Structures are given as C-alpha cells and as structure tokens.
Amino acid sequence: MNPRDERRTAQALASEIKDLARKHSGQMRFMEVCGTHTMAIHAAGLKSLFPESVKLVSGPGCPVCVTEKRFIDHAILLAAKYDACVTTFGDLVRVPGSSGSLTTFRSEGGTVRVVYSPLDAVEVAVAQSPRPTVFLGVGFETTIPTVAATLKAALARGVENFYVLPAFKTIHPPLRILAAKDDLHGFLLPGHVSAIIGSDCFSYLVDDFHKPGVIGGFEPLDILLALRDLVSMTVRGTSAIVNDYKRVVRADGNRAARDILYDVFEPADASWRGLGVIPGSGLAFKGPYTRFDAAAHFPVNVPESKDDPRCLCAAILTGSKTPDRCGLFGKECTPEDPVGPCMVSSEGTCAAYYKYGAV
Amino acid sequence: MPKNTDGRILLGHGGGGKMTGRLIRELILPRLDRGQLGQLPDSVVLSGLGDRIAYTTDSFVVSPIFFPGGNIGSLSVHGTCNDLSCSGARPVFLSLGLILEEGFPMARLQAILESVAEAADEAGVAVVTGDTKVVPRGSADGIFINTSGIGRIERPLSLSPSRISEGDQILVSGPVGNHGMAVMLSRAEFSFDFDLESDSASVWPVVERLLNLGEGLKFLRDPTRGGIAATLNEIAASSGKGVRVDESAIPVDESVAAASEILGIDPFQAANEGKIVVVVGKGLGEEALHLLSDCPVARGAALIGEVTTANPSKVVLTTRIGGSRIMAEPSGELLPRIC
Ligand code: SF4
C-alpha cells in the first residue's frame, strides 16, 4: 500500500473507532498482551489517534519483563561458580539483578555473549568447548519451538558443553487470571504467539469471561483494525475471538512446532514478576533433554531477591498502572540505568513510554 | 554515574548518548575545562590565532575494520573532516595517530593507509603529522586510529543553536542509517545478505554550497552515533525549541529499511558518516535544496521538518499513518564500535 493510502485508511479507521466509542458510556480498557504490540502501538503514535474513552494498557507478554530478578542472579552466580560462558538474547544483558546486571558481570571479567538465535548459542558452545556454555532460556511459545529444535539438533550432534537455564513461559495461564479483572474489557491477542498456538485456544475468554479477543498483526493498520473490532464488540455488548491476522495465524496454529516443543518440554510451575507463581505456566525439560538443564547440572545457592518497592513493573505488567505513574520514570530509571526490566527490554512498556513518549 | 555500576567504564560510556555526556560533564570537564571545552563543540574555533582556524580530534575503533563502503582508514579521514565542516570550516590539515596490535597483517595496514590517502586527496586535506605505536597482542583489537584536523573558516558565520527560531526548516543531506546498518551487517554474527554500503564521505562539498545561504544557514551537525534521532534531540535541547519531523519525509534506502527490520535497529538511530542535518531560516528550505541539487554527496537530500514553539526541547515525529509520538534521544550501549 502506498504511504498516502495507508495514511488515509488509518484516518478512516481512527474515525470509525471514534464514532463507535461515542455510542458507549464510560471507559473501554483493552490490554495488548504482547510486548511487540506495545512497541508497535507507541512507534506509530497510535494512542494519539484514539478518543479519550478508549485506553490501551500493556500486558505480561514481554518475556524479559516477566522474568524475575532472581533469574539474573542465578545466571551470574552459576557462571561465576563454574566459569561458564553465558549466551543470551541482547535484551537480557542490561536487566538489573540484585547486585548488577550481566553487563556489569561482563565488565568484571565474566564471559557474556549476545546471540541472535539459539543456533548461534550452540555454535558459541562448540567454539568454547569444553567450557560449559549456558544459554538463557527466556521467551514464550513463539521462541520456544526454535529452542526445542536446536536442542534436538544439539543432542543428535553430541554437543556436550551446551546448557540452557530455563525461564520459559506460556501465555494462557496468566491470561486467564487477567481475564477475570473487571476493569479489562477485551484483549488484543499476540500475533506471533498465536501463529504457534492458533486462535481457537483463546475461546475461554468468551466462554468463561464473556470478553472479546482479537488477534492482530503488527503493522499500524493491523492494530487499528483489531482495535476497531474490539471497540465494536464492546459497544454492542458481544464477545468473540476474532482473527484479524489470518495471513499468519490459523485456527489450529502450527501443529508441527507445538509437537517439537512438547517433545522436549513439559508443563511446570513458573514464577512471574508481578504475578507470582502460576501453576503450569512454565516449561521443564523432559526425557533425554534433562541433560541440558543448567539449573540441575550446576547447583548454586541463589538467595531470594527483592524488587525495588518503588518500581511499578508488577502493576504495569498486569495493566493496572501506566509508567507515567511511577515516580522513578525518566528520573532514577532510564533505559541506560534501569531500575526494572520494563525499562530495559526493547518490548518493555516503560521503555516504550520513554522512547516514544506521550505527546 | 550509574548507581549499580560504580567505578567501572561500561561500553555505554562510549555510546555518544547520555552516559557519555555524564562521563564528560562529571569526570572530564571539572578537571580540564578552561573556558572553551565546556561548550562541547564537535570542533572548536581557536581563539588567539586570528579567529579563522577550527580544530578537532576523533578516535576510530570501528569493528570490523573493513566494511562495505570503506574501512577504518577512510572513516578516520571523513569523520574528522566532517566535524570541521560542521563548524563551517574547510578541512585543510590532518594528523594521523596509529595504534597497532602486534601481529596485525602488514597487507591490511597497507590497504588502510591507501584508503587514508585516497580519502584525504578526495577531501582536499593533507596528512601533515602523525605517530605510530604498537602494543602487545591482546592490548588492542588490530588497529585503532586517532586523527586531528585543522580547518579554515571561510565565512565568519555563527552556526549556533541559539540562532534557531520558530519556523526554521530542517533538512538532511541524504538517506539515513547506511553506515550503522552496513557495519552491523558486516559483523560476523550476522549472516544476512544485503546490498548495502556505508555512506562514509566528506560532507564539505555540501557545507560549501550551503554557506551561500549566509545568515540563513543556522546550524549544521553530522548525525554519527545515535543517528538523526540524537542530532534532532541535540537541536531541540540546545535551542530550547520544539522540533517536528515527518516520518514519511525522512529518506531511508530500501535496503536500510529491510535491514533495520531484521536487526531491530531504528534507522533514525543508526550512525551516518557522510550526511549532515541542517537548520535553515524559515522559507529557505527549497533554496537550500536547490543549492545542493548538483552535489553528488547530497543525493537524496530532503526537507524533513521544522522548528516549533510547541513541545519545547522535544522532538515530535508525525508517523507514516498520521499519529504523533516523541522521537527520543537514543541511550546506552546501542551499537558499540560503530566508528
Ligand atoms: S519506570 Fe522503572 S522503576 Fe518505574 S515501573 Fe518502569 S521499570 Fe520500574
């Protein structure tokens, strides 16, 4: 679509949303579950196009943001004790742990390598062999199948010094908890995660909570379209799961990717920043893949960690607060010197507010 | 300094963003500023030498040393020429300091020196003094270069942010983000195939033409580390005015846009080494573009925005679809060793 048509279509959708919203008394609050949506919404300045009565709040779908401080501590302590090389996606290296981040650990002589795919992490392990190499396993259903496939390959190839410290998460359990909140009226559902898990599996939002959910793409027009559908259902008082991202998401998702995932992992409890321990919301290694489990293989004593009580990340990840309500925002907490992970992650809500602001 | 990292230099301190600023303000200036340093100009007009001489210095640690469109040698000439050019000074003399790591291949050094010579000849500058040091293996990464430059101020113009006022127009001398993206892509860890080169070049020909605007030319800056986002924020912050730019007016090559999507790097935050951002008086934008129409280094120059009284000290971007948002100053460890 050429830029002029794109702008025209956007304006048309925006005014449709305004017209619909006028028919509704009171606020409509929708949650964009996924961090990539958060960023895309702010990058396109979409909020400047919405009427006052339509509010978008962020959810728990930013993998770095929901990862607990203790996980960073764990990675650093493990690497220090066993002289392991840490490999990770870039976002995680600046997340503050209890005493410094992986960046500080690196400046003090630790080995931390940023990789762009799990496969790269295996290559680093091969190059570092026999030194243990620990990949930090953070992510949702989008990333996990790739990690699982990589582990299958590593097992077949006999890479002996490659390990994963797991903090993987799945999206349904926290979503169920959030769907019960009265002040959330619908959900902009994650496009990439849904490509794996499909659209049908969100039906509980409608059946159990009578709330609409729309799966949307990541282009500004995709998001406006999804928002229009959410507003329209809310105004009419109906609820359904609508798939506005059919070019990527199928009703039953990607079966093959899920099969690989559950060949390697099985559901386990997981601890979420802001939400605490949610039963069945994480993944643990199973069968022959337990040999990759860095936590089991390299025991360390990781003390409980405490979050800065002034940091509102927990409330932000559950849609109850926005970053501008945090007293540290932009002052003591900036992307270069962050207090919470929401300010570090390239998908974090505080980072989005900081980078793209409110005009 | 960051609270959780007391006492150590982090890569972010060299990023050219806020951390660098703090390091300079808190550690360097209190000890070394005797009047001129504190204004933190890219280059300084030397006082006591006839008011016509500009002086600057820059160090180059780019990794990889060779990248599509140039290498550390050509870059070290262009970078210093461009700092001088942005003070309105024609680059004339350069010094060349080489720090070499034991074991660095002679053939590579030769290739680098040849491109220093080629770039200097093309830019019309002469390398007139230099220095060579070798450090033991492991104490440096192949080669680092420092260049200093002296330039002649051709017209006594005050190119200062204090002259920027509401309605002034902002232009950029060509498509943005090429250098940063080309260097990132040529790093070993990426295995993508893009047809993309660094824009590394001397921008003096651009500046020379723009000087014809006289007082209408208000401010020049080469958007290196932190890209045009850093430069536009500098304009907003130092003038105390607002800046509004239009996303669809900012030229970005297709290959850069594609690469930026894959790498997750904003082309507006990616370094340029052959571009300038220019502020001209109200209504002079078209004339400026006209002056540049025959200038090969300014191919693709475009008007991208204007200075406003609204949103003081902030940069506001009108997005492709007509939304508005802030274009913030890039921060932290963005892309280490980009120049
Ligand atoms: S601004 Fe910083 S301290 Fe405040 S909630 Fe966000 S990450 Fe936490």
Side-chain angles (χ1 to χ4, degrees):
Chain A
M1 192 181 289
N2 77 40
R4 195 167 312 140
D5 288 348
E6 192 182 11
R7 200 177 277 217
R8 210 175 290 140
T9 312
Q11 303 296 346
L13 281 167
S15 57
E16 220 182 310
I17 290 173
K18 268 186 205 129
D19 292 344
L20 281 166
R22 227 172 275 135
K23 301 186 189 136
H24 190 76
S25 60
Q27 284 270 326
M28 284 176 269
R29 286 176 98 241
F30 303 114
M31 172 176 277
E32 87 267 2
V33 174
C34 159
T36 314
H37 271 142
T38 305
M39 271 299 160
I41 287 162
H42 285 91
L46 288 182
K47 286 187 175 175
S48 68
L49 301 176
F50 297 151
E52 267 299 304
S53 58
V54 174
K55 288 274 183 276
L56 263 176
V57 295
S58 308
C62 152
V64 171
C65 307
V66 293
T67 301
E68 290 204 308
K69 199 175 202 172
R70 195 157 178 265
F71 178 75
I72 302 292
D73 297 346
H74 193 164
I76 293 175
L77 288 170
L78 187 158
K81 183 166 171 193
Y82 296 94
D83 186 33
C85 166
V86 175
T87 52
T88 172
F89 294 137
D91 267 8
L92 224 46
V93 296
R94 293 189 303 120
V95 175
S98 297
S99 50
S101 62
L102 286 160
T103 306
T104 355
F105 177 61
R106 183 172 58 192
S107 77
E108 287 161 5
T111 311
V112 179
R113 294 281 183 80
V114 171
V115 293
Y116 295 86
S117 75
L119 204 59
D120 291 347
V122 174
E123 293 310 326
V124 172
V126 170
Q128 294 269 329
S129 172
R131 186 184 189 188
T133 300
V134 177
F135 176 65
L136 305 186
V138 165
F140 284 97
E141 285 95 332
T142 341
T143 346
I144 311 172
T146 327
V147 177
T150 309
L151 289 178
K152 288 195 147 197
L155 189 70
R157 208 170 139 190
V159 185
E160 305 232 308
N161 62 324
F162 181 65
Y163 299 91
V164 177
L165 188 63
F168 298 113
K169 305 221 165 29
T170 54
I171 200 67
H172 290 310
L175 203 52
R176 272 187 173 278
I177 295 176
L178 292 166
K181 290 176 65 162
D182 288 338
D183 61 348
L184 289 176
H185 304 112
F187 295 88
L188 172 58
L189 297 169
H192 294 144
V193 166
S194 302
I196 308 289
I197 64 179
S199 53
D200 281 352
C201 59
F202 290 106
S203 56
Y204 60 90
L205 291 176
V206 177
D207 300 340
D208 300 350
F209 303 98
H210 313 292
K211 293 195 176 163
V214 179
I215 296 168
F218 298 92
E219 289 298 319
L221 292 184
D222 290 332
I223 299 172
L224 281 170
L225 185 69
L227 249 294
R228 197 246 353 236
D229 290 346
L230 277 173
V231 171
S232 139
M233 283 191 274
T234 310
V235 170
R236 284 183 286 123
T238 59
S239 60
I241 300 299
V242 175
N243 182 0
D244 277 341
Y245 197 32
K246 288 210 178 73
R247 63 183 192 269
V248 172
V249 176
R250 290 200 310 255
D252 66 340
N254 181 340
R255 217 208 145 92
R258 282 201 310 273
D259 285 348
I260 293 181
L261 195 164
Y262 287 107
D263 271 356
V264 175
F265 297 104
E266 60 194 6
D269 298 350
S271 186
W272 297 59
R273 186 188 292 264
L275 291 159
V277 175
I278 307 177
S281 67
L283 292 166
F285 296 95
K286 76 178 197 198
Y289 300 98
T290 46
R291 68 155 298 284
F292 291 108
D293 188 351
H297 210 272
F298 301 106
V300 277
N301 175 26
V302 190
E304 283 304 319
S305 63
K306 260 220 223 75
D307 286 319
D308 189 319
R310 299 167 301 167
C311 171
L312 301 185
C313 273
I316 288 167
L317 291 167
T318 50
S320 355
K321 293 237 163 73
T322 46
D324 40 347
R325 303 284 297 279
C326 171
L328 305 186
F329 178 83
K331 299 183 191 98
E332 244 174 279
C333 183
T334 59
E336 63 196 5
D337 196 7
V339 174
C342 302
M343 188 56 103
V344 193
S345 168
S346 61
E347 298 187 341
T349 310
C350 296
Y353 271 71
Y354 189 87
K355 189 166 174 207
Y356 299 127
V359 181
Chain B
M1 295 298 107
K3 49 193 162 290
N4 53 1
T5 51
D6 280 347
R8 303 252 178 199
I9 285 289
L10 301 180
L11 280 170
H13 285 118
K18 289 186 178 171
M19 284 174 82
T20 311
R22 234 147 88 194
L23 180 75
I24 293 173
R25 275 195 317 275
E26 292 172 16
L27 207 66
I28 299 179
L29 290 185
R31 288 165 180 85
L32 296 178
D33 186 20
R34 301 288 183 274
Q36 280 191 303
L37 189 60
Q39 296 152 31
L40 297 180
D42 267 0
S43 67
V44 64
V45 177
L46 294 176
S47 54
L49 293 174
D51 278 358
R52 307 280 310 249
I53 296 177
Y55 179 47
T56 189
T57 188
D58 210 341
S59 300
F60 299 85
V61 297
V62 65
S63 166
I65 294 163
F66 290 80
F67 47 83
N71 61 51
I72 193 168
S74 48
L75 189 64
S76 70
V77 173
H78 294 146
T80 292
C81 286
N82 292 348
D83 281 351
L84 291 170
S85 302
C86 287
S87 320
R90 175 193 294 274
V92 186
F93 297 120
L94 285 188
S95 73
L96 181 75
L98 303 174
I99 297 171
L100 305 167
E101 184 189 12
E102 177 189 20
F104 188 67
M106 203 60 93
R108 303 199 95 195
L109 180 58
Q110 188 179 331
I112 290 166
L113 291 173
E114 267 155 21
S115 68
V116 167
E118 198 183 317
D121 289 347
E122 210 180 294
V125 290
V127 176
V128 291
T129 182
D131 176 54
T132 306
K133 295 282 189 321
V134 178
V135 296
R137 203 183 281 273
S139 301
D141 188 8
I143 176 171
F144 297 149
I145 298 183
N146 172 274
T147 53
S148 291
I150 286 183
R152 186 169 55 235
I153 294 181
E154 307 251 306
R155 284 189 192 207
L157 276 181
S158 145
L159 296 171
S160 144
S162 60
R163 290 182 53 233
I164 294 173
S165 51
E166 190 201 351
D168 285 355
Q169 288 174 287
I170 300 171
L171 55 131
V172 63
S173 64
V176 299
N178 298 56
H179 177 76
M181 229 53 96
V183 170
M184 287 312 283
L185 282 173
S186 59
R187 290 197 178 157
E189 62 255 45
F190 299 112
S191 40
F192 303 112
D193 213 10
F194 281 100
D195 183 19
L196 206 165
E197 287 198 342
S198 164
D199 58 339
S200 182
S202 165
V203 297
W204 171 249
V206 187
V207 175
E208 190 175 26
R209 285 170 175 78
L210 291 173
L211 287 175
N212 289 318
L213 291 171
E215 294 291 319
L217 179 62
K218 299 203 170 176
F219 187 75
L220 300 164
R221 183 65 90 225
D222 51 336
T224 56
R225 283 176 307 188
I228 59 163
T231 302
L232 293 169
N233 271 286
E234 185 191 340
I235 291 172
S238 58
S239 68
K241 303 281 190 299
V243 164
R244 177 173 274 279
V245 285
D246 190 346
E247 184 174 22
S248 47
I250 303 173
V252 179
D253 283 342
E254 237 167 73
S255 52
V256 170
S260 89
E261 218 152 275
I262 288 184
L263 299 181
I265 298 169
D266 182 346
F268 302 155
Q269 297 195 352
N272 308 274
E273 290 292 345
K275 300 285 150 45
I276 40 174
V277 172
V278 186
V279 183
V280 300
K282 196 173 185 167
L284 293 175
E286 288 301 332
E287 190 182 339
L289 284 184
H290 183 72
L291 287 171
L292 298 180
S293 58
D294 69 331
C295 180
V297 212
R299 198 170 299 131
L303 290 171
I304 60 169
E306 58 176 13
V307 176
T308 61
T309 39
N311 304 302
S313 301
K314 287 202 171 124
V315 181
V316 176
L317 181 82
T318 304
T319 65
R320 261 184 316 149
I321 54 142
S324 294
R325 61 136 162 116
I326 296 289
M327 184 193 256
E329 186 185 350
S331 57
E333 180 189 346
L334 261 185
L335 307 168
R337 301 189 57 189
I338 209 74
C339 58

